[in-house]
Amino acid sequence: MCELCEKYGEGDRWYLNPKNYARPLYRKVEKGKEKRPITLDELRLPIDVFKPVIDLKDEPEAFEKAKETLSKVISERSGGQVISLEDAKKMVEIAQPIARIDCICRRTVRATLEDGEQRPRSCLALGVGMFRWEEWPERYKGGVEFLSTEEAKEHIEHWHKRGMVITIMIFGTPYIGGICLCDYPDCLAIRMRIDYGVKPYLLKGHQVAKVDYGECIGCGTCAQRCQFGAIKMEVTTKKSNIDMTRCFGCGACAYSCPQDAISLIDREKLPGLKEEW
């Protein structure tokens, strides 16, 4: 099991534990003599630990120290994990309300705002925090659109079919704030894990993809969908090859394969990968 499951899963995958949707950040907390709700600003990553990881990449010793500091902060505050389409649908059956929201990563990287019209919203916010969304105008600047459970499932499937990776949005570990549907290079979590090696930013999923060479026709659709660089087309066989050590188990390849030649298998059943998160 992944480290989050061991700490917060109570025998199951941690994000399927209803307790992790309780979100105590919306309760009153003590701070000196004052009682007030925790604000979203208090959960944001301080720039003084985030920026050095990018600035110092060409200085190995300083970079590793900065990465270690950031990894510790991420573990305590945010981070996330890749999940499958099946598990994402289970998540929206647990938490209410559900709202379609602007992608904060795409806004940061592309300087675009998803307003639901010309640029459709891609991410979902989950849980009671959405009853107070208007108190955080910057995070939800693009507005919100409340959905039913079935509408949320259709939303996730729509974006996943287009090649988006499904990840969990955490607002204070282990409390779940939503489901992100994003891709490289827009997704900050994917970028920080792939480009800078900050592991807690995005843990791998509980499954890995495997190709059935007898069914694969070498169309290359899976390679086009993979956001983690785990799939290459073999020159000799003209079929796809999945590097399981690089696979994050998002399932975008399996979902898009026209031959159903790719399946997802549990990571923990593979001795060489069961500790690779």
Side-chain angles (χ1 to χ4, degrees), residues 3 40 85 103 149 172 188 190-191 205 214 235 274:
E3 56 193 73
L40 193 62
L85 175 63
C103 175
T149 300
L188 297 177
I190 295 176
R191 292 293 298 268
V235 176
K274 66 179 182 179

Side-chain angles (χ1 to χ4, degrees), residues 90-162:
K90 291 178 181 178
M91 286 179 65
V92 297
E93 292 177 349
I94 296 172
Q96 290 288 335
I98 307 167
R100 187 155 40 201
I101 62 173
D102 167 39
C103 175
I104 193 70
C105 290
R106 200 161 295 113
R107 190 197 315 175
T108 302
V109 174
R110 302 294 186 188
T112 59
L113 184 66
E114 296 173 343
D115 56 12
E117 297 177 1
Q118 293 184 343
R119 296 188 179 92
R121 302 180 182 101
S122 58
C123 294
L124 295 177
L126 301 178
V128 296
M130 290 315 299
F131 287 126
R132 290 179 52 209
W133 69 272
E134 72 281 357
E135 295 184 24
W136 295 317
E138 186 57 38
R139 176 62 180 90
Y140 302 119
K141 192 172 183 178
V144 303
E145 180 184 354
F146 288 94
L147 305 177
S148 68
T149 300
E150 290 305 314
E151 287 173 333
K153 290 180 180 180
E154 291 173 3
H155 171 91
I156 296 168
E157 190 159 0
H158 166 78
W159 285 108
H160 190 52
K161 187 174 183 179
R162 293 183 62 178

Side-chain angles (χ1 to χ4, degrees), residues 77-96:
R77 296 195 182 191
S78 55
Q81 185 170 25
V82 170
I83 59 172
S84 67
L85 175 63
E86 179 183 12
D87 281 354
K89 289 182 176 181
K90 291 178 181 178
M91 286 179 65
V92 297
E93 292 177 349
I94 296 172
Q96 290 288 335

Side-chain angles (χ1 to χ4, degrees), residues 177-196:
I179 294 174
C180 292
L181 292 111
C182 207
D183 60 347
Y184 185 99
D186 289 345
C187 181
L188 297 177
I190 295 176
R191 292 293 298 268
M192 291 304 294
R193 176 68 192 265
I194 298 299
D195 295 349
Y196 298 95

Side-chain angles (χ1 to χ4, degrees), residues 17 20 31-32 51 69 88 175 183 195 203 220 227 253:
N17 182 355
N20 296 328
K31 187 173 183 180
K51 193 170 182 292
T69 300
Y175 298 101
D183 60 347
D195 295 349
L203 296 179
Q227 305 295 330
C253 58

